[in-house]
Amino acid sequence: MKHSHHHHENDSSKNLKVAFFLNFSFTIIELIGGIYTNSVAIIADSLHDLGDTLSLGLSWFLEKYSSKDRSKKFSYGYKRFSLLSALINSAILIIGSIVILYKTIPRLLNPETSNYVGMLLLAVLGMIVNGVAVFKLKKGSSLNEKVVAWHLLEDLLGWIAIFIISIINQFIEIPILDPILAVIFAIVIFYNAIKNLKPIVAIFLQSTPLDVDVNELETKIKNIKTINSIHDMHLWTMDSENHILTIHVVLKGKITPTKVKSVKKQIRKVVYSMKIKHVTIEVEEKNEICEYNDC
Ligand SMILES: [Zn+2]
Ligand SMILES: [Zn+2]
Ligand SMILES: [Zn+2]
């Protein structure tokens, strides 16, 4: 159902808590309903809602935790904890969707009948709950709100599909429609989980952040007048928002305190303009031997 990732306001913690409990109860109702009506499509959809519930719960939990100040043990703070939770969530969805495919594909060969009236009632409930959420969020215009609205719309479409097959089955029984829908749901869940997993893994592997053009950054720093050359530049990101840069710069001519101060100031200006919040600069003279030339 509901999805949220970036929160900056203080009352967002309360919103997250409410959204979490709503999603959690709905997931339980859906899972029990899916088992009771013998509908694999509804069970598959409850996996999706479980994923939403988990990500809400983790955002709620981490809202305070991951913004906690750094400690001696975690000198960069706790920002990566949210990344870890996103990783766990993706793993649960990937494993869950594989389990559902494994259980559902045999049903394509031997379709079982479901309780279509029960499915219809659940679908109506699902459409109401998700429809209200879409409607409430429609007012928002920020990028994140749009992403959330799009997600909610997808959830709504899922319930509309369940609604349609339960209506069809009131008139003619086509039991295979239910496992077909379940397979589609599971594939969508799997696909989205892999799509979300990719950037998370890239961050863990310390790739450069997606929103920084490394060549542009290099050029801008090299263009600073007092800089002769740069080396040992490392750029990575804590959590896709907090980027960290370390760099060695070789100055033209002799090092003087004034030169160092001014060059640091200019580098910081370039770096902050490119959304990099944490920078460490080492200043060198031209014929200085540096063991970090290519590491
Ligand atoms: Zn959802
Ligand atoms: Zn160096
Ligand atoms: Zn290095």
Side-chain angles (χ1 to χ4, degrees):
M1 276 164 79
K2 214 164 188 174
H3 226 99
S4 253
H5 281 301
H6 306 290
H7 302 278
H8 303 287
E9 306 90 39
N10 283 332
D11 63 347
S12 73
S13 177
K14 202 187 146 206
N15 292 339
L16 278 172
K17 191 173 140 187
V18 172
F20 168 74
F21 281 110
L22 283 176
N23 272 265
F24 185 61
S25 351
F26 192 72
T27 304
I28 301 287
I29 293 172
E30 195 179 1
L31 182 62
I32 294 171
I35 294 167
Y36 177 75
T37 57
N38 196 29
S39 161
V40 273
I42 292 179
I43 295 173
D45 196 65
S46 75
L47 170 69
H48 168 91
D49 282 336
L50 174 70
D52 289 359
T53 303
L54 282 177
S55 76
L56 281 165
L58 291 163
S59 317
W60 172 40
F61 174 70
L62 293 162
E63 178 89 339
K64 284 188 183 103
Y65 201 62
S66 67
S67 58
K68 237 169 63 168
D69 281 343
R70 65 179 181 156
S71 62
K72 284 241 163 73
K73 193 167 180 186
F74 294 103
S75 71
Y76 279 108
Y78 292 76
K79 296 180 191 75
R80 277 209 162 179
F81 281 60
S82 69
L83 200 63
L84 180 64
S85 67
L87 182 74
I88 295 169
N89 202 2
S90 300
I92 290 172
L93 290 176
I94 289 168
I95 295 165
S97 53
I98 291 170
V99 170
I100 286 181
L101 283 174
Y102 179 76
K103 294 270 179 197
T104 305
I105 288 168
R107 281 219 190 184
L108 291 172
L109 305 171
N110 290 307
E112 292 176 20
T113 53
S114 314
N115 176 342
Y116 300 111
V117 177
M119 282 177 73
L120 185 70
L121 293 174
L122 280 169
V124 170
L125 179 68
M127 287 192 303
I128 292 170
V129 172
N130 281 284
V132 167
V134 172
F135 191 75
K136 273 192 115 179
L137 225 110
K138 230 183 162 186
K139 287 168 255 159
S141 60
S142 77
L143 185 67
N144 191 44
E145 280 168 321
K146 275 181 186 157
V147 171
V148 175
W150 181 244
H151 180 118
L152 289 171
L153 200 66
E154 281 180 353
D155 294 351
L156 184 61
L157 286 176
W159 279 113
I160 292 172
I162 295 170
F163 179 73
I164 291 171
I165 68 162
S166 63
I167 290 281
I168 292 173
N169 276 288
Q170 307 291 333
F171 302 103
I172 16 161
E173 278 208 6
I174 315 173
I176 200 172
L177 290 178
D178 184 63
I180 289 175
L181 197 56
V183 167
I184 295 171
F185 285 170
I187 290 171
V188 171
I189 296 168
F190 183 81
Y191 172 81
N192 283 328
I194 295 282
K195 206 176 76 186
N196 292 334
L197 185 65
K198 273 188 182 166
I200 296 168
V201 170
I203 292 171
F204 273 117
L205 297 178
Q206 288 190 298
S207 91
T208 53
L210 291 171
D211 57 349
V212 176
D213 182 338
V214 181
N215 291 324
E216 190 193 336
L217 176 68
E218 267 187 18
T219 318
K220 277 185 174 168
I221 294 175
K222 278 180 188 160
N223 281 347
I224 295 170
K225 272 185 192 140
T226 41
I227 291 179
N228 180 63
S229 65
I230 61 173
H231 60 270
D232 197 34
M233 189 173 104
H234 293 291
L235 176 63
W236 56 285
T237 184
M238 296 268 295
D239 57 356
S240 84
E241 279 178 26
N242 295 281
H243 309 332
I244 290 160
L245 175 76
T246 62
I247 187 170
H248 289 208
V249 297
V250 179
L251 298 191
K252 289 174 182 160
K254 285 266 170 222
I255 289 182
T256 67
T258 333
K259 247 194 206 172
V260 172
K261 255 186 230 165
S262 121
V263 89
K264 281 202 289 192
K265 205 174 159 190
Q266 290 176 77
I267 293 172
R268 292 221 163 93
K269 203 177 154 200
V270 168
V271 161
Y272 294 155
S273 77
M274 295 184 77
K275 288 182 270 178
I276 300 160
K277 291 172 189 164
H278 197 287
V279 56
T280 306
I281 305 157
E282 197 162 315
V283 182
E284 292 167 23
E285 263 179 22
K286 218 171 174 179
N287 41 22
E288 198 174 319
I289 297 157
C290 175
E291 65 259 55
Y292 296 107
N293 254 316
D294 199 16
C295 78

